[in-house]
Amino acid sequence: MTRFVVVGGGIVGLAVAHRLLTERPDDQVTVLEKEAGWAAHQTGHNSGVIHAGVYYQPGSLKATLCRAGSASMVEFCREHGLAYQVCGKLIVATDPAELPRLHDLHQRALANGLPVRLLDPAETAEHEPHVAAVAALHVASTGIVDFAAVCRTLADLLAAGGAQLRTGTEVTGVTDRGDEVVVTTTGGEVVADVLINCAGLHADRISRLAGVSTPVRIVPFRGEYYELTEQRRDLVRGLIYPVPDPQFPFLGVHLTRMVDGSVHAGPNAVLATAREGYSWGRFDVRDVWDELSYRGLWALGRRHYRYGMTEVARSLSRKRFAASLARLVPELTGADIVRAGAGVRAQAIRPDGSLVDDFLIVEAPRQVHVLNAPSPAATSSLEIARHIVSRLPIPDAH
């Protein structure tokens, strides 16, 4: 029997544990989560979009796992009776200057094998009557779901299958003894033959505890959301995105109709003052020191400081936030939106200041560390799990 320990109870960690239990039902699977419940951080604070895989470099892990993950996530929801919709989305060019980038996205989406179509303004209005567009890209396979509900279902399946699920259990140390890995936690020691680190916002710290030199550092970026007032939800039928600017590291604010009928707007992207910093008032000295002492963040800041200041200004001003949304839907004003929480993106940054664009999974003897898994990791989670389990360093059974 092989003993597997998965660190992290977000959607990637739970999906990995579920895949292990499915493929190796006679082995022991333990999931360690420091919070009291599942999906407490990135998974439980994201936009709920089942991404199609438009933006990613053809042949990359993101492109291949996202496309496969979109299909397997829909199948998982259908199998387990979870609410979801495959509603499609529009990527909207609001200015003729954006048309070359929109056409580039169209070509990339075709290269990734996605069902996409370029629309003129009249065709765009058939999908979203209130959008201002000179053209749009329709992505038919994009959907929406509650990823926290997916996690609860995965946890139920794990419990029914005999996995050991330990919430409220924080990892404080990892010792490689050669023939086994000892994981020290706030609830005692756990011995593993294979350790799989899916700790999200803290994944680089877990890898360092395990003695694995990480080529990157995780820097947290807070994404803040607004919500359309109930009276203005009719302005948005589905998902409306801007054309991203490749000069900048994030997609820009967009509009998403959720499975419960609410319409979320956002997120922006500001540097967080804590890895779990869901507001300006959350400040963690260790986390801030990690950020400010990392030359990679300073290099990123020099490259994108104007963009960063724009994001901070938008964070502090509902009027500015609404103006960004009005580029997509001109009828929207500051009076039409209310605050709706925030999420934090665990973004891996290299020492030269470049963002790690693809999923980053580092292997070591008896260990696997998922060091970069931001969006579309939730969409791709079942396929990330399949990928990891297919490559595990399985030791001789005890």
Side-chain angles (χ1 to χ4, degrees), residues 147-159:
F147 285 118
V150 174
C151 284
R152 291 191 291 271
T153 298
L154 285 168
D156 289 344
L157 293 170
L158 286 166

Side-chain angles (χ1 to χ4, degrees), residues 87-143:
C87 51
K89 82 172 181 183
L90 292 181
I91 301 173
V92 177
T94 60
D95 186 285
E98 296 174 334
L99 290 175
R101 299 203 305 270
L102 186 70
H103 290 141
D104 287 346
L105 272 183
H106 180 228
Q107 292 304 311
R108 176 165 286 196
L110 291 175
N112 283 329
L114 302 179
V116 294
R117 189 165 70 94
L118 284 170
L119 308 179
D120 63 26
E123 293 169 323
T124 301
E126 292 175 8
H127 291 273
E128 294 286 355
H130 300 279
V131 158
V134 296
L137 184 66
H138 183 249
V139 187
S141 54
T142 302

